[in-house]
Amino acid sequence: MVLTTSCAPQGSTSQGREISSLYDIFLWIAAGVFLVTAGLIAWSIIRYRAKPGDDDLPEQFHQNLKLEVTWFAIPQILVVVLFVLSAFALNEVNEESPEPDAVVDVTGFQWGWRFTYDGSGKEVVGTPQEPAKVLVPVGNVSFVLTSADVVHSFYVPDFLIKRDAVPGRDTRIDVNVDAGVYDGVCAEFCGLLHARMPFTIEAVSQEAFQQWLQEPPEGVARGDG
Ligand SMILES: [Cu+2]
């Protein structure tokens, strides 16, 4: 049986699934800590409550070396284990693909996103009235993020990864994406129309992607561009 945090997205990229399984480990360890702690508190309350006629103080003592070592050691071990697992997951998520199937330059601006595709001249610009809808191929996709004005944040919830788009700096995230349609938003308050900069990324086959790259911009196709 696979135990997962059912209400959280499971991730539609291999990096997202890495993060999702890390969440699950954290959740189950936290649940275990809660049950043990709450259980011991409940047991102590019931076991040691004053009974009628129990008017004397019980034996008073301080220091119990075994107990103190135990409650120091268990959290230390948990922190070290979670730290190591997180470091491994972070490494995997930040790893750059040596030969991505597509490189997409993404520029956030007030208020929308510009997607340009390396070497093809393809460009899609979203606006608050018409958010960007772009295609990527299934497989390794490299997003190179930057901003034209203030700090924006490129967030596709299904990818389980969020990265800032910072003016004057390129930030790269590589994902190995499954086929599907994924909605994204700006996750950094960047001005009045911050909420009006959603975008959609559709991951399709390499052939369909290549075909889309060749298509002229919509306005030109209709002859009114
Ligand atoms: Cu923004």
Side-chain angles (χ1 to χ4, degrees), residues 108-113 149-153 185-191 193-195 197:
F109 60 91
Q110 287 172 317
W111 286 274
W113 299 91
D149 36 49
V150 299
V151 177
H152 300 272
S153 185
V185 290
C186 177
E188 180 79 42
F189 182 67
C190 59
L193 298 190
H194 157 71
M197 45 188 298

Side-chain angles (χ1 to χ4, degrees), residues 170-211:
D170 284 347
T171 313
R172 180 172 158 177
I173 51 169
D174 286 37
V175 287
N176 188 340
V177 62
D178 303 342
V181 180
Y182 309 109
D183 291 326
V185 290
C186 177
E188 180 79 42
F189 182 67
C190 59
L192 286 181
L193 298 190
H194 157 71
R196 302 262 308 268
M197 45 188 298
F199 55 92
T200 305
I201 293 176
E202 186 175 355
V204 295
S205 69
Q206 184 63 246
E207 299 76 57
F209 171 68
Q210 288 302 331
Q211 199 179 341

